[in-house]
Short mmCIF file of all heavy atoms in Angstrom, two decimals:
data_model
loop_
_atom_site.label_atom_id
_atom_site.label_comp_id
_atom_site.label_asym_id
_atom_site.label_seq_id
_atom_site.Cartn_x
_atom_site.Cartn_y
_atom_site.Cartn_z
N LYS A 125 77.40 61.22 176.64
CA LYS A 125 77.79 61.38 175.26
C LYS A 125 79.10 62.15 175.13
O LYS A 125 79.99 61.76 174.36
CB LYS A 125 76.72 62.05 174.44
CG LYS A 125 76.83 62.02 172.94
CD LYS A 125 75.63 62.67 172.30
CE LYS A 125 75.79 62.63 170.79
NZ LYS A 125 74.58 63.17 170.13
N ILE A 126 79.14 63.16 175.92
CA ILE A 126 80.38 64.04 175.94
C ILE A 126 81.62 63.19 176.36
O ILE A 126 82.65 63.13 175.71
CB ILE A 126 80.24 65.31 176.73
CG1 ILE A 126 79.21 66.26 176.14
CG2 ILE A 126 81.64 65.97 177.04
CD1 ILE A 126 78.76 67.35 177.09
N MET A 127 81.43 62.37 177.40
CA MET A 127 82.46 61.50 178.03
C MET A 127 82.88 60.43 176.92
O MET A 127 84.07 60.19 176.86
CB MET A 127 82.11 60.98 179.27
CG MET A 127 81.81 61.97 180.43
SD MET A 127 83.37 63.11 180.54
CE MET A 127 84.63 62.00 180.92
N ALA A 128 81.94 59.86 176.27
CA ALA A 128 82.22 58.79 175.35
C ALA A 128 83.06 59.44 174.17
O ALA A 128 84.09 58.79 173.70
CB ALA A 128 80.99 58.11 174.75
N TRP A 129 82.62 60.69 173.77
CA TRP A 129 83.44 61.31 172.58
C TRP A 129 84.81 61.61 173.18
O TRP A 129 85.79 61.53 172.42
CB TRP A 129 82.69 62.56 172.28
CG TRP A 129 83.23 63.36 171.14
CD1 TRP A 129 84.10 64.36 171.20
CD2 TRP A 129 83.24 62.95 169.69
NE1 TRP A 129 84.39 64.76 169.86
CE2 TRP A 129 83.96 63.89 169.06
CE3 TRP A 129 82.69 61.82 169.00
CZ2 TRP A 129 84.13 63.76 167.65
CZ3 TRP A 129 82.84 61.77 167.61
CH2 TRP A 129 83.58 62.76 166.87
N CYS A 130 84.98 62.17 174.30
CA CYS A 130 86.36 62.41 174.90
C CYS A 130 87.16 61.18 174.95
O CYS A 130 88.29 61.21 174.59
CB CYS A 130 86.22 62.97 176.31
SG CYS A 130 85.70 64.62 176.40
N ARG A 131 86.53 60.03 175.36
CA ARG A 131 87.48 58.82 175.38
C ARG A 131 87.72 58.34 174.01
O ARG A 131 88.89 57.76 173.79
CB ARG A 131 86.65 57.68 176.13
CG ARG A 131 86.66 57.97 177.62
CD ARG A 131 86.20 56.77 178.57
NE ARG A 131 84.68 56.79 178.63
CZ ARG A 131 83.94 57.50 179.36
NH1 ARG A 131 84.57 58.40 180.17
NH2 ARG A 131 82.66 57.32 179.48
N LEU A 132 86.90 58.53 173.03
CA LEU A 132 87.10 58.18 171.62
C LEU A 132 88.37 59.04 171.16
O LEU A 132 89.28 58.50 170.55
CB LEU A 132 85.95 58.38 170.78
CG LEU A 132 86.20 58.10 169.28
CD1 LEU A 132 86.59 56.65 168.99
CD2 LEU A 132 84.89 58.41 168.43
N GLN A 133 88.27 60.35 171.42
CA GLN A 133 89.42 61.18 170.88
C GLN A 133 90.72 60.86 171.71
O GLN A 133 91.81 61.04 171.02
CB GLN A 133 88.99 62.71 171.11
CG GLN A 133 87.73 62.99 170.31
CD GLN A 133 87.82 62.57 168.82
OE1 GLN A 133 88.88 62.49 168.14
NE2 GLN A 133 86.68 62.34 168.33
N LYS A 134 90.58 60.62 172.97
CA LYS A 134 91.89 60.12 173.71
C LYS A 134 92.37 59.04 173.06
O LYS A 134 93.60 58.85 172.80
CB LYS A 134 91.40 59.96 175.20
CG LYS A 134 92.66 59.52 176.03
CD LYS A 134 92.32 59.41 177.50
CE LYS A 134 93.45 59.22 178.34
NZ LYS A 134 93.96 57.78 178.44
N LEU A 135 91.62 57.93 172.63
CA LEU A 135 92.14 56.72 172.03
C LEU A 135 92.69 57.02 170.67
O LEU A 135 93.76 56.60 170.34
CB LEU A 135 90.90 55.73 171.86
CG LEU A 135 91.25 54.54 170.96
CD1 LEU A 135 92.28 53.65 171.69
CD2 LEU A 135 90.02 53.77 170.68
N PHE A 136 92.05 58.02 169.87
CA PHE A 136 92.68 58.44 168.67
C PHE A 136 94.03 59.13 168.90
O PHE A 136 94.93 58.80 168.13
CB PHE A 136 91.75 59.43 168.11
CG PHE A 136 92.27 60.13 166.84
CD1 PHE A 136 92.47 59.56 165.66
CD2 PHE A 136 92.64 61.45 166.98
CE1 PHE A 136 93.05 60.21 164.58
CE2 PHE A 136 93.29 62.17 165.93
CZ PHE A 136 93.47 61.52 164.77
#
Side-chain angles (χ1 to χ4, degrees):
K125 188 174 183 180
I126 293 169
M127 293 311 300
W129 185 256
C130 287
R131 285 190 279 280
L132 175 60
Q133 298 312 328
K134 182 176 185 278
L135 173 63
F136 167 74

